[in-house]
Amino acid sequence: MDWKLEGSIQKTESPVLQGHEGILEDTGANGILESFQLLQIDVECECQEGETLPTGNAAWCSKNVWRKQRHWEKIIAAKKSKRKHEKERRKANRVENPGICPQHSKRFLRALTKEKLLEAKHSGPRLCIDLSMTHHMSKKELSRLAGQIRRLYGSNKKAERPFWIYLTGFTTDSPLYEECLRMNDGFSSYLLDITEEDCFSLFPLETLVYLTPDSEHGIEDIFVIFIIRKVFNCDLQKVTFQKAQEYSVKTARLPIQEYMVRCQNGKNYHSKILAINQVFDILSTYFDTHNWPEALKKGVSSGKGYVLRNSVE
């Protein structure tokens, strides 16, 4: 019984097999090529009109991949065309207005900034940021201080006559250093001096002026080395003044009370304590203009509760 069924199956399938074998025998390699051509035609029919698949040795990709690639190529072509038109526009503008200086490239501006900062290291005014008290600060206060250092450095790079900055009492294994690396891009390559030494051991004491709001003397001019110590804790605010007295170093304050007066505000808040970047903006502006009202206006925000005397009068 099994033999008969098996035989019947063989008889049923044999014509088909024989047919294929006959085709292969008759056509040989040409038959195989025709079969692949039929498969290729079927695949091409699946594609939308206007889309072509890679041929030859190119790897086969899905339609979405090729669609994204063509979209990206269009974007690149548009950017190249835009740059070309912008270059032609600048060229035509230089021909029409020969007296206008050409716009400098970013590379040139970076090199110019670096040159000015390195020149300030040898002949410019110096500013020390005393960071020896940062171990008293909270995580939030450290983040705020790291942001102030970033803004101070940014303002110094833009200044016509920049200062040379020292971050003293600053260790590379401190939480503040880690916060500066986290918040400030390129902090490790800032053009300034970072040292663990105390500011009083770096320079002759007679050349130093400690900036503190508790001093009785206003700043007279900028020919010496200024020290700023940032303390967020109100209980430690007078530490700067006591530290300067301990080393017999001159103290000074910004001339806020000479040129500014209190203004009324809803919170009845008045403070002469500024962020280190605000103090720097005042010193830098005065160094360029020798105008205290203009310099104070630059650094003392309205939120401190003080305005210039002339604006009130």
Side-chain angles (χ1 to χ4, degrees):
M1 184 68 182
D2 295 338
W3 179 84
K4 292 181 179 179
L5 289 174
E6 187 175 348
S8 63
I9 292 173
Q10 289 178 353
K11 290 179 180 179
T12 305
E13 293 180 351
S14 58
V16 177
L17 294 174
Q18 290 175 357
H20 282 288
E21 291 174 355
I23 294 172
L24 292 175
E25 290 176 357
D26 295 338
T27 58
N30 293 330
I32 296 174
L33 290 175
E34 290 179 359
S35 301
F36 278 114
Q37 288 176 357
L38 291 175
L39 290 175
Q40 185 177 0
I41 292 172
D42 292 338
V43 171
E44 290 179 351
C45 291
E46 294 289 334
C47 301
Q48 296 179 2
E49 185 177 356
E51 295 184 355
T52 60
L53 292 176
T55 58
N57 295 327
W60 185 87
C61 296
S62 66
K63 292 185 290 183
N64 287 336
V65 171
W66 286 105
R67 189 178 298 112
K68 291 178 181 179
Q69 182 176 347
R70 287 196 300 273
H71 177 68
W72 180 245
E73 290 174 353
K74 290 180 180 178
I75 293 176
I76 294 176
K79 288 183 178 180
K80 289 182 178 179
S81 177
K82 184 178 180 181
R83 285 196 296 266
K84 182 179 179 180
H85 289 312
E86 182 66 18
K87 186 176 181 180
E88 293 175 353
R89 185 189 66 80
R90 290 178 181 176
K91 185 177 180 180
N93 191 29
R94 287 194 297 268
V95 173
E96 294 177 1
N97 304 285
I100 299 178
C101 296
Q103 185 178 1
H104 297 299
S105 65
K106 292 182 179 180
R107 180 181 298 179
F108 175 83
L109 294 176
R110 284 196 297 266
L112 182 62
T113 299
K114 182 177 180 180
E115 183 181 349
K116 289 195 301 182
L117 288 174
L118 293 178
E119 183 180 351
K121 183 176 184 178
H122 301 288
S123 59
R126 302 181 182 184
L127 182 67
C128 293
I129 311 299
D130 187 359
L131 301 173
S132 59
M133 298 290 292
T134 55
H135 57 279
H136 292 287
M137 297 182 182
S138 64
K139 175 72 173 179
K140 182 178 180 180
E141 290 171 342
L142 290 175
S143 297
R144 290 165 57 189
L145 180 56
Q148 292 175 16
I149 292 174
R150 180 184 67 250
R151 288 189 287 272
L152 183 151
Y153 183 73
S155 297
N156 194 41
K157 289 199 304 180
K158 296 177 182 177
E160 288 295 328
R161 293 189 293 174
F163 285 61
W164 184 251
I165 308 297
Y166 293 85
L167 302 181
T168 62
F170 194 25
T171 58
T172 55
D173 59 349
S174 63
L176 176 60
Y177 189 84
E178 295 178 359
E179 195 67 13
C180 287
L181 289 176
R182 185 184 70 86
M183 293 186 60
N184 305 341
D185 293 337
F187 176 76
S188 58
S189 60
Y190 277 11
L191 290 176
L192 46 75
D193 279 339
I194 297 177
T195 175
E196 298 181 5
E197 295 186 60
D198 192 277
C199 54
F200 299 106
S201 62
L202 288 176
F203 310 100
L205 297 180
E206 63 272 12
T207 63
L208 301 178
V209 174
Y210 219 115
L211 292 178
T212 169
D214 301 309
S215 177
E216 297 178 356
H217 311 287
I219 298 177
E220 296 178 359
D221 214 328
I222 301 180
F223 297 110
V224 289
I225 301 170
F226 289 97
I227 304 171
I228 303 174
R229 167 175 282 184
K230 186 58 183 176
V231 181
F232 283 94
N233 193 330
C234 295
D235 297 333
L236 300 173
Q237 290 295 348
K238 290 190 177 182
V239 171
T240 55
F241 184 70
Q242 296 171 359
K243 187 81 171 179
Q245 286 185 325
E246 179 183 345
Y247 284 90
S248 299
V249 172
K250 297 177 184 178
T251 62
R253 55 172 172 76
L254 296 172
I256 295 178
Q257 65 187 44
E258 283 82 3
Y259 295 95
M260 307 188 82
V261 295
R262 292 189 175 190
C263 63
Q264 295 182 354
N265 54 68
K267 297 181 180 180
N268 194 27
Y269 173 78
H270 303 87
S271 176
K272 298 178 182 179
I273 300 173
L274 306 176
I276 59 173
N277 59 293
Q278 293 174 324
V279 176
F280 173 80
D281 288 341
I282 293 173
L283 295 177
S284 179
T285 304
Y286 179 77
F287 187 54
D288 288 335
T289 64
H290 292 277
N291 187 316
W292 278 119
E294 184 177 345
L296 293 170
K297 184 179 179 180
K298 178 77 174 180
V300 181
S301 62
S302 58
K304 293 294 180 179
Y306 285 88
V307 295
L308 293 174
R309 290 182 182 275
N310 295 338
S311 62
V312 176
E313 294 175 359

